[in-house]
Amino acid sequence: MSNPYKPYPVRIDKVIVETEDKNLRSFRLVFLNPEDDKAFDYTPGQFAELSLAGYGEIPIGIASSPTEKGHLLFTVNKVGAVSSALHNMKEGDIMGVRGPLGNSYPLKDMEGRDIVIVAGGFAVTTLRSTITWMLDPANRDKYGKITFVYGARTPGMLLYKDEWRAWQKRDDIDPYITIDREHPDWDGLVGLVPAVLEEANPGSENAVALVCGPPIMIKFTQPVVEKLGFADEDVIMSLENRMKCGIGICGRCNVGPEYVCKDGPVFTKAQLNELPREY
């Protein structure tokens, strides 16, 4: 990325309504210029700024995997002016993408270890990217057992249904998909993510835990992860709070001396323990 402020032009190739409340939509984007596609060299865990002329830009985690060639995927919650404008755009419309930005999950350091992935609600986006990348035939042998615990309030609020249903049919990943309480359209697991994680009881020996979710889920998942025996250095979390410029200039997202956009958004729990509770 030669100019960090310059977005790449992209076309909206497909819009997917992900949730029953229609507030979460995924946008599959295709670069207008093939050389921009090659230049956008990203790794799971990174994010990008989605740019809309006349409205501004928003930082969004990259939900696609680098192994999915030819497009990028972003899932956007309709919460403000830019995201609302994006939700009103149609397939074929042109917009911009600036990035990739931030640090990724330490995939190289995780090789040879079991992986436990814990996600809640909308925060599963970059973990979708990570799982897709690890399950790719070129990468699967690099990792041990993969456990995936993912939950939402209702069946209609679960993202990426086609993906996790396909993962449930594989024998090289153990998905635990849960909703918070009983629902007539659901015959799967019922219970909050921390309780389901404790029940799944994935081993912590030679394992790494990736945890991403709403603050309340994080609050009640941390004691479970600790009870399971994970060291703070082996618990990896992604923060997305208050990011704006994406390159550590505006100073909006700092937590103590660290900028979430530039020094994160991926941090170990050991690193977060050294920072003020401002996230």
Side-chain angles (χ1 to χ4, degrees):
M1 186 172 55
S2 56
N3 183 344
Y5 292 105
K6 183 178 179 181
Y8 298 116
V10 294
R11 173 175 51 82
I12 298 176
D13 180 60
K14 187 174 183 179
V15 180
I16 305 164
V17 178
E18 294 279 3
T19 53
E20 60 189 359
D21 65 0
K22 304 186 188 310
N23 283 335
L24 283 161
R25 296 187 179 195
S26 290
F27 296 84
R28 191 168 71 186
L29 308 178
V30 176
F31 289 96
L32 298 188
N33 304 310
E35 58 269 27
D36 294 342
D37 191 357
K38 294 179 181 178
F40 195 93
D41 184 18
Y42 70 101
T43 307
Q46 290 190 283
F47 70 98
E49 297 277 356
L50 302 186
S51 303
L52 276 65
Y55 291 94
E57 57 183 12
I58 47 174
I60 302 291
I62 305 171
S64 53
S65 162
T67 56
E68 298 174 299
K69 303 297 184 183
H71 71 271
L72 298 173
L73 185 73
F74 296 89
T75 301
V76 179
N77 192 15
K78 185 180 178 182
V79 292
V82 180
S83 59
S84 296
L86 180 56
H87 272 238
N88 288 330
M89 296 181 74
K90 305 180 299 295
E91 295 176 1
D93 286 348
I94 304 301
M95 53 179 286
V97 172
R98 183 165 66 85
L101 301 167
N103 295 323
S104 66
Y105 293 111
L107 297 171
K108 186 68 177 177
D109 294 340
M110 291 158 49
E111 290 184 5
R113 308 183 72 178
D114 291 344
I115 310 297
V116 178
I117 294 177
V118 185
F122 171 42
V124 71
T125 57
T126 59
L127 296 175
R128 176 209 179 275
S129 172
T130 305
I131 295 173
T132 303
W133 190 90
M134 289 194 296
L135 292 179
D136 187 85
N139 301 314
R140 183 62 189 92
D141 290 344
K142 300 175 183 176
Y143 303 95
K145 181 180 179 181
I146 300 175
T147 302
F148 175 47
V149 180
Y150 172 47
R153 296 195 308 273
T154 65
M157 294 304 291
L158 290 164
L159 300 184
Y160 313 133
K161 297 177 180 63
D162 290 344
E163 283 86 345
W164 58 255
R165 283 170 178 158
W167 298 340
Q168 286 178 320
K169 298 175 182 176
R170 298 178 63 128
D171 60 6
D172 59 351
I173 179 172
D174 293 328
Y176 295 80
I177 311 300
T178 183
I179 60 171
D180 289 358
R181 55 185 65 89
E182 297 283 352
H183 191 283
D185 297 330
W186 183 254
D187 60 0
L189 294 173
V190 175
L192 300 176
V193 165
V196 172
L197 172 63
E198 186 168 5
E199 182 70 20
N201 192 26
S204 59
E205 184 177 351
N206 193 35
V208 179
L210 278 57
V211 181
C212 197
I216 190 68
M217 190 210 85
I218 297 291
K219 176 181 179 181
F220 289 101
T221 297
Q222 288 190 26
V224 175
V225 170
E226 183 177 349
K227 183 178 179 181
L228 291 171
F230 286 86
D232 288 351
E233 292 78 10
D234 294 328
V235 179
I236 301 168
M237 296 189 285
S238 180
L239 306 182
E240 295 184 352
N241 52 324
R242 300 178 299 184
M243 291 191 294
K244 184 65 175 177
C245 72
I247 52 176
I249 299 297
C250 72
R252 175 170 166 166
C253 68
N254 70 294
V255 179
E258 305 284 351
Y259 290 94
V260 173
C261 68
K262 182 171 68 68
D263 303 311
V266 173
F267 296 93
T268 66
K269 185 171 183 294
Q271 290 174 311
L272 293 176
N273 289 342
E274 301 298 319
L275 299 177
R277 287 282 182 177
E278 298 172 350
Y279 54 89

